[in-house]
Amino acid sequence: MRKVLMALAVCTALSANADTFPDAAGGGLDNGSVPEQDSDFPPWANEQIDPMHDSVTRWVETTSRRLDGFFGTTDALTIENDSYLRISQGWRWKEGEDFRQDVGVRFRLDLPTTEERLRLIIESEPEETQGTLAEQDNPLVDDRISGVESLRIGLNRMGSRDKSERWNTQVGAGVRFRLPPDPYARVITQRLWTLNDGPWQLESDNRLSWFNRDGYSARTRWDLGRPVDEDRHLRFITNVQWREEVDRLEFSETLELNRRIDRRQAIRYSAVMLGESGSSPRIEDTYLQTRYRRNLHRGILFLDVAPALHFPRESDRDPRWALDLRLEMYFRREIDRVRL
């Protein structure tokens, strides 16, 4: 009980501390009395960070557009492009386990004009190789391979239907850079319903994949949510996953309250249950987590702080503290500044 109270205290303290940051619109002050702040760093640090970031961002965008123009059409110079590069440093401490840290590099080269509704994709992390639902649910530290062996190149046939009106289907195939090469194929279906023309929305995301090395996998995600007010959003999320590699059905249930504090800050309160289902379904872990995200510098450098209290089955539900920290820098033209 003492640990539960401590966890609630940490969550409350994070939320209260977040409220003390100045609001991006002026925090109640007269307009123009205080210049809008978009960085926590002094001017001399900004002078070092901004030129480096602009240079790398131009390289990422120029490389993707040149490749797109080579394979596709001259529209590659102006069409919307979803290429990005993300560099992150994560740290994780969990009571009773070794301290972990990770330096991660993730990228995606989007080549949208290869053919109408056909996209050539080069990226570093296939959705289907993100491990268990527990690993997917806590991505602040990532022990998976992020080198050449994680790269894949493929073609995606984009669906033309609006998922709010009918099912939208995407079909893709390609190869992962391994020795020997690892071909793959996938089908994705998505749908979005607005329930009774009200505030509640239900979104479904379903994926069936095959990798020559890992075999088949299937995942389904159902996300029911609604805005509580202008700054808060409530979500109930159900995930079910099966992978032939381990031949195990996993499921998770999550209750989330997301709060956008201002244009530079957001906080998420979560209650999560993770389990496995077979001949005798069981709950492997339940935990409470608060995740605070701050835009440290102009929408390109972010800090995540996520304390949690776990009740794992392997320790007879004895409470275990955990703390995740992550710094990440994005190299991309358009970024949602505080999206969790």
Side-chain angles (χ1 to χ4, degrees), residues 146-158:
S146 59
V148 174
E149 290 189 0
S150 69
L151 301 184
R152 72 178 176 99
I153 180 170
L155 289 172
N156 282 0
R157 179 70 178 180
M158 314 300 289

Side-chain angles (χ1 to χ4, degrees), residues 21 25 38 44 95 102 128 130 161 167 172 188 191 193 202 233 246 274-275 290 319 321:
F21 286 99
D38 60 358
W44 64 265
E95 190 174 354
D102 166 74
E128 295 78 0
Q130 294 184 5
R161 297 176 175 177
W167 286 95
I188 302 174
R191 186 72 163 91
W193 296 272
L202 176 63
H233 195 276
V246 294
L274 296 165
T290 297
W321 282 103

Side-chain angles (χ1 to χ4, degrees), residues 15-176:
S15 178
N17 184 61
D19 287 332
T20 65
F21 286 99
D23 184 78
L29 298 176
D30 293 337
N31 290 336
S33 61
V34 178
E36 180 179 340
Q37 299 296 317
D38 60 358
S39 177
D40 291 338
F41 299 121
W44 64 265
N46 297 340
E47 294 173 358
Q48 299 295 321
I49 295 174
D50 291 343
M52 178 274 296
H53 177 269
D54 292 343
S55 177
V56 176
T57 298
R58 283 194 300 269
W59 176 80
V60 171
E61 185 169 16
T62 300
T63 300
S64 63
R65 291 190 184 279
R66 286 178 177 174
L67 283 172
D68 195 18
F70 179 79
F71 288 104
T73 70
T74 56
D75 291 338
L77 299 177
T78 57
I79 198 170
E80 181 181 352
N81 191 292
D82 292 331
S83 298
Y84 71 88
L85 170 67
R86 188 195 78 192
I87 300 175
S88 63
Q89 170 68 63
W91 300 268
R92 171 174 292 174
W93 170 82
K94 193 171 184 180
E95 190 174 354
E97 298 182 8
D98 294 335
F99 179 79
R100 296 161 52 193
Q101 60 178 326
D102 166 74
V103 177
V105 178
R106 297 286 182 266
F107 74 90
R108 173 188 174 102
L109 291 180
D110 183 27
L111 312 180
T113 71
T114 305
E115 185 179 324
E116 185 180 2
R117 309 216 65 80
L118 187 66
R119 286 195 169 188
L120 177 64
I121 302 293
I122 304 173
E123 60 184 342
S124 61
E125 183 183 9
E127 295 276 358
E128 295 78 0
T129 61
Q130 294 184 5
T132 66
L133 288 178
E135 292 169 337
Q136 296 173 32
D137 206 49
N138 285 284
L140 298 188
V141 175
D142 187 355
D143 286 338
R144 294 183 301 276
I145 296 174
S146 59
V148 174
E149 290 189 0
S150 69
L151 301 184
R152 72 178 176 99
I153 180 170
L155 289 172
N156 282 0
R157 179 70 178 180
M158 314 300 289
S160 60
R161 297 176 175 177
D162 185 345
K163 68 178 181 180
S164 64
E165 298 179 355
R166 59 186 67 186
W167 286 95
N168 185 30
T169 302
Q170 300 178 26
V171 179
V175 63
R176 195 156 42 153

Side-chain angles (χ1 to χ4, degrees), residues 205-225:
D205 185 297
N206 310 281
R207 300 166 185 260
L208 176 63
S209 308
W210 170 80
F211 281 81
N212 184 58
R213 177 170 175 172
D214 300 331
Y216 290 94
S217 66
R219 296 192 300 156
T220 182
R221 176 185 177 93
W222 296 81
D223 186 341
L224 176 65

Side-chain angles (χ1 to χ4, degrees), residues 291-329:
R291 180 179 172 188
Y292 171 72
R293 183 170 178 84
R294 182 169 178 83
N295 166 18
L296 295 178
H297 182 71
R298 299 178 180 175
I300 63 175
L301 182 63
F302 295 86
L303 170 68
D304 288 279
V305 183
L309 185 61
H310 290 255
F311 302 87
R313 183 181 67 89
E314 61 185 15
S315 63
D316 297 325
R317 311 298 177 189
D318 190 27
R320 293 286 187 270
W321 282 103
L323 177 64
D324 289 296
L325 301 173
R326 182 175 66 182
L327 283 170
E328 64 181 10
M329 179 171 283

